[in-house]
Amino acid sequence: MTTEPTTDRPRWRRDTALFLSGQMVSLFGSMLVQYAVMWYLTLTTKDGAVLALSTVFGFLPQAIVSIFGGVWADRHNRKLLIIGADAAIAAATLALALLMFAGNRELWLIYAALAVRSVGAGIQTPAVGALLPQIVPTDRLLAINGLTQTIQAGMMLVGPPVAAVLYATLPLAAILSVDVVTAAIGIGLLALVPVSKVVRTEGAPTGYFTDLAAGFRYVVSHPLIRWLLGLYAVVMVLAVAPSFLTPLMVARTFGEEVWKLTVLELSFSIGMMLAGATIGVWGKRFSRMTLIIGASIGFGALSIAMGLSTNLWVFFGFMFLTGVAVPAFSTPSMTVLQEAVEPDRQGRVFGFFGIVAATAMPIGMAVFGPLANVRSVEFVLIAAGLATFVVAAIALALPSGRRALRAASDHTDPLSHGHADPAAELSESQPPLGG
């Protein structure tokens, strides 16, 4: 894929700043609600089934709607989709806040609001991923995707303490109202960004299901996307163990002091934030495939290392490196898709990746959670790490994996030095698919 010169989009910095600022404000409000609702359900019910249902309502609709959200992102104006989804989420959140101010505390109201928010995320996520290449020059995508990771990590760092202060001083309904305000700010900033509808290369629009089927055929027949989606799915599921079971290991092995759990979360978030902020610089020294493959192997090695750790501060160090590995894997993965996939198909491709992201945690926890109750967390971490090595070996043994490895070894910085793009090399035999 050819690199679009920065000069072709002279206002891209202003548009990107507005877009990312709006996303940051909106994400911050959503994170406050996420923590506040989780704490409210935990403290008022102390019922594991209630928390399990909240997870189902919070993730399952997104996984289902992402299928259609990707089609909509390819058929309609992506900016309007994001604004519409944000507005619907804000309306549902405001309705819940008003009902709770009036004294309604039924759980089904909270579940319904969580479901609407999840549906909105299923529409919004593919549109956001596909919109960025419309406003950001191709040669800056890696840096901007890394900055997006930094924003997410920063919210993970700041969100919990701010949510804790708000939860201690305000009723849940008032915290929900804060999210409505942040959503309105995010919508206002995005409205200032000019984004046109993508011109289709597949011909005139057909039925939704026809477009969906065409997108599915495109994913499964495109060697790069098929390989990357499979690797992404398994790594995401296996990475659940180090991400969500490490607090349990700290409590069981090193002690239940709150500061230890706090440092654990800080270690991960700071590593992710630093790597995301700097990947636009150091990431250019490597090909996209080198980063993806290296980070996949790194996840396995770090999971095993954490399982073998006997010193708390060494354990924190490995958790920091795990945070570093997240942008090293997800940022080039996102960038490869944005570079290799035609603009009018990106929504559907990101929709399928959104399904994986939404279902990885429930699937991973369904496997590793019960296992951690019958075996030690250390055992689970080592097992997950070894499984990651097996998956990486299989991925590299596949024909598309071998092509990825050759591309990684042959091209250090393909976009900067004029070499062929590894993404293009992997997909060069892909025939165009009609709608």
Side-chain angles (χ1 to χ4, degrees):
M1 184 174 184
T2 59
T3 300
E4 182 174 354
T6 304
T7 53
D8 286 357
R9 296 178 183 176
R11 291 163 53 101
W12 76 270
R13 288 184 176 85
R14 173 239 184 219
D15 293 341
T16 304
L18 288 172
F19 176 70
L20 292 183
S21 297
Q23 290 295 297
M24 179 176 64
V25 173
S26 182
L27 175 63
F28 184 63
S30 296
M31 188 164 289
L32 294 181
V33 167
Q34 175 185 334
Y35 283 110
V37 170
M38 180 179 65
W39 294 338
Y40 175 83
L41 294 176
T42 300
L43 297 175
T44 57
T45 70
K46 298 180 176 64
D47 189 336
V50 169
L51 295 177
L53 282 173
S54 69
T55 302
V56 170
F57 284 109
F59 285 94
L60 185 59
Q62 178 180 350
I64 297 173
V65 174
S66 289
I67 304 173
F68 303 98
V71 176
W72 296 330
D74 287 339
R75 295 170 66 101
H76 306 293
N77 187 297
R78 289 158 181 169
K79 181 178 83 170
L80 297 181
L81 281 176
I82 297 170
I83 290 175
D86 258 346
I89 291 172
T93 305
L94 178 60
L96 178 60
L98 294 174
L99 288 169
M100 295 193 77
F101 274 128
N104 296 282
R105 297 289 188 272
E106 291 85 352
L107 289 178
W108 73 266
L109 292 173
I110 296 177
Y111 292 153
L114 290 175
V116 172
R117 294 175 66 87
S118 184
V119 168
I123 297 172
Q124 192 179 65
T125 302
V128 168
L131 183 144
L132 267 177
Q134 289 186 254
I135 62 176
V136 178
T138 305
D139 61 332
R140 302 301 178 93
L141 278 172
L142 183 68
I144 297 302
N145 285 326
L147 183 58
T148 303
Q149 291 273 311
T150 302
I151 292 172
Q152 293 174 353
M155 294 300 99
M156 292 170 60
L157 200 61
V158 176
V162 174
V165 171
L166 292 178
Y167 191 81
T169 57
L170 298 174
L172 178 61
I175 300 175
L176 295 174
S177 302
V178 172
D179 185 41
V180 177
V181 175
T182 58
I185 294 172
I187 290 173
L189 290 173
L190 179 57
L192 300 175
V193 180
V195 179
S196 60
K197 182 180 176 182
V198 173
V199 177
R200 291 174 61 96
T201 61
E202 300 175 76
T206 55
Y208 280 97
F209 287 98
T210 303
D211 268 5
L212 179 61
F216 179 77
R217 292 198 306 272
Y218 180 80
V219 169
V220 299
S221 61
H222 193 300
L224 169 63
I225 300 173
R226 184 179 63 243
W227 178 82
L228 187 57
L229 180 61
L231 181 64
Y232 182 83
V234 180
V235 168
M236 285 286 289
V237 171
L238 293 175
V240 165
S243 298
F244 291 94
L245 294 181
T246 46
L248 183 60
M249 178 177 166
V250 168
R252 287 181 181 178
T253 305
F254 300 113
E256 300 180 2
E257 292 87 346
V258 174
W259 72 265
K260 295 178 180 178
L261 298 177
T262 303
V263 173
L264 177 71
E265 297 301 326
L266 289 174
S267 300
F268 179 83
S269 298
I270 291 173
M272 183 176 170
M273 188 165 55
L274 291 177
T278 58
I279 193 172
V281 177
W282 60 265
K284 289 184 177 181
R285 301 176 183 176
F286 309 96
S287 76
R288 312 284 190 259
M289 295 298 113
T290 297
L291 290 172
I292 293 169
I293 295 168
S296 302
I297 296 172
F299 279 130
L302 289 168
S303 183
I304 294 172
M306 285 189 287
L308 295 174
S309 296
T310 57
N311 180 279
L312 178 61
W313 292 101
V314 172
F315 185 83
F316 288 154
F318 288 134
M319 196 64 182
F320 169 83
L321 293 175
T322 301
V324 171
V326 171
F329 178 81
S330 59
T331 300
S333 298
M334 172 77 74
T335 306
V336 163
L337 293 176
Q338 292 168 337
E339 292 172 342
V341 178
E342 293 83 351
D344 59 322
R345 291 188 172 105
Q346 287 182 3
R348 281 165 287 179
V349 171
F350 282 116
F352 285 110
F353 275 78
I355 297 169
V356 171
T359 56
M361 189 185 79
I363 293 174
M365 288 306 294
V367 174
F368 295 119
L371 184 58
N373 288 330
V374 296
R375 301 297 298 266
S376 67
V377 177
E378 288 88 340
F379 172 85
V380 176
L381 291 175
I382 293 171
L386 293 174
T388 304
F389 281 148
V390 172
V391 168
I394 294 174
L396 292 176
L398 295 172
S400 53
R402 292 196 297 270
R403 287 195 293 270
L405 192 60
R406 287 199 301 272
S409 61
D410 292 344
H411 307 297
T412 301
D413 191 1
L415 294 179
S416 297
H417 298 290
H419 298 296
D421 192 340
E425 179 178 322
L426 276 166
S427 57
E428 63 184 359
S429 62
Q430 168 62 26
L433 291 175

